[in-house]
Amino acid sequence: MSDTIVVAFSNQKGGVGKSTLTVLLASYLYYEKGIKVAIMDCDSPQHSLVGERNRELKTVSETEHLAQMAHELLTQTGLQPYAIMKIPLEETMFRIRQYLSGDNDTQVLFLDLPGTMNNPNVLQIISNCDYVFCPMAACKYDIESTLGYCQFIHDRLMTMGYGNLKGVKILWNKVDARERTDLYNAYDEFMESIGLEAMKTTIPASVRFKKELSCNPKHQIFRSTVFPPSSAIVKGSGIDELAEEFLKLTGVRNG
Ligand SMILES: Nc1ncnc2c1ncn2[C@@H]1O[C@H](COP(=O)(O)OP(=O)(O)OP(=O)(O)O)[C@@H](O)[C@H]1O
Ligand SMILES: [Mg+2]
């Protein structure tokens, strides 16, 4: 049996940043903090993270300076890119159990799930996670549906003690710095009144989240499954703070 914790970014709405935050947090924890991670990409049939990893490996193999960087990363740290597994959604429960009962040194297993609840597998999978983070953008309809979704998971799955859930947290994503923080604070207060909590870290809206690894040497690396994000661009992205808050919440430690 392993000590792996299972974590998912989840929301019944699509496009809220589940896959983006999964990659960014997994890579930051692995390449910067030395935490052993793996991702199960359960978002069938598109499996966007498996696709992203394959595109990156191709870009690295075809780009001299990136191939050199990959070589240096490997020789300096001994770190091969972490595993991203392609898992059909309907097999996910079985594959998680198999993974956890097998021999592995993974500390955090991330699940990338589809943006839909119209599938009984998803709720079962979520109740078997240790922690669930619900990304939420500051748009009225998103807020209402995300709060409803989170409250359901919190009240029905966590509080009733089904499965493994130890924490359900909202995570503000795509935050516009021009919007008033007292608006967010008011929502945070409301959430607390219904027993929900948001992560203290908020993730700003920024184009850097959209850009995959590029062969252009002038482009800084941020979102990547094979390299750590460059420190200059991490600053102000919220990812470093998210990682620290995540480690504190879960108690996961390097080594
Ligand atoms: N903080 C952010 N700032 C700007 N763009 C962002 C941010 N977070 C995510 N995005 C963008 O939002 C889009 C949707 O993100 P992503 O694919 O991660 O969402 P998802 O919840 O996984 O969607 P799906 O339900 O389709 O799987 C992407 O183009 C992504 O780059
Ligand atoms: Mg996704």
Side-chain angles (χ1 to χ4, degrees):
M1 289 291 279
S2 65
D3 292 330
T4 316
I5 63 162
V6 183
V7 172
F9 288 92
S10 178
N11 193 316
Q12 90 285 26
K13 265 193 73 78
V16 292
K18 299 183 293 291
S19 305
T20 303
L21 294 167
T22 302
V23 166
L24 283 162
L25 183 59
S27 290
Y28 192 85
L29 290 175
Y30 184 72
Y31 298 112
E32 289 292 335
K33 304 301 261 180
I35 307 291
K36 300 195 175 60
V37 307
I39 297 178
M40 284 189 175
D41 177 350
C42 316
D43 192 2
S44 333
Q46 60 269 35
H47 294 289
S48 65
L49 296 188
V50 171
E52 184 168 340
R53 164 61 65 77
N54 290 340
R55 282 193 298 282
E56 285 192 81
L57 291 178
K58 186 163 182 284
T59 306
V60 171
S61 71
E62 291 169 353
T63 313
E64 207 180 318
H65 78 278
L66 291 178
Q68 179 65 26
M69 271 178 64
H71 178 71
E72 280 165 19
L73 182 66
L74 181 61
T75 45
Q76 282 165 14
T77 65
L79 292 174
Q80 297 274 6
Y82 53 84
I84 302 184
M85 296 163 266
K86 183 176 184 175
I87 310 281
L89 184 62
E90 59 283 3
E91 282 179 26
T92 303
M93 268 320 304
F94 168 73
R95 297 289 294 273
I96 294 172
R97 287 199 187 111
Q98 194 181 42
Y99 193 85
L100 296 182
S101 62
D103 212 9
N104 77 75
D105 61 356
T106 303
Q107 293 172 277
V108 186
L109 175 64
F110 287 96
L111 309 178
D112 190 39
L113 298 170
T116 171
M117 278 295 115
N118 299 335
N119 187 312
N121 288 303
V122 176
L123 269 187
Q124 200 202 358
I125 295 165
I126 283 170
S127 64
N128 278 277
C129 288
D130 293 282
Y131 294 91
V132 172
F133 300 94
C134 304
M136 176 158 87
C139 140
K140 186 170 180 286
Y141 299 103
D142 274 13
I143 291 176
E144 280 171 15
S145 72
T146 305
L147 286 182
Y149 173 70
C150 258
Q151 201 172 11
F152 175 81
I153 302 180
H154 183 270
D155 294 355
R156 297 287 178 86
L157 303 182
M158 191 174 124
T159 314
M160 304 284 278
Y162 296 127
N164 293 332
L165 270 172
K166 298 174 184 70
V168 178
K169 296 267 188 178
I170 284 166
L171 175 59
W172 289 105
N173 187 27
K174 307 191 190 187
V175 171
D176 182 341
R178 289 163 304 184
E179 271 168 348
R180 294 178 4 241
T181 47
D182 51 350
L183 180 77
Y184 290 98
N185 291 343
Y187 274 119
D188 284 348
E189 269 176 35
F190 170 69
M191 283 180 225
E192 266 179 58
S193 74
I194 58 171
L196 288 177
E197 243 182 77
M199 295 289 274
K200 290 194 176 54
T201 306
T202 59
I203 307 293
S206 160
V207 287
R208 74 190 101 175
F209 289 86
K210 294 184 188 289
K211 291 185 185 150
E212 281 189 25
L213 186 67
S214 146
C215 56
N216 185 336
K218 291 196 184 126
H219 290 175
Q220 300 208 59
I221 295 172
F222 180 59
R223 175 182 174 147
S224 170
T225 72
V226 295
F227 292 119
S230 69
S231 46
I233 199 167
V234 164
K235 222 167 167 262
S237 72
I239 294 303
D240 44 354
E241 290 160 50
L242 178 64
E244 295 302 338
E245 194 177 352
F246 172 87
L247 292 175
K248 203 166 158 207
L249 175 73
T250 58
V252 171
R253 272 194 205 126
N254 179 356

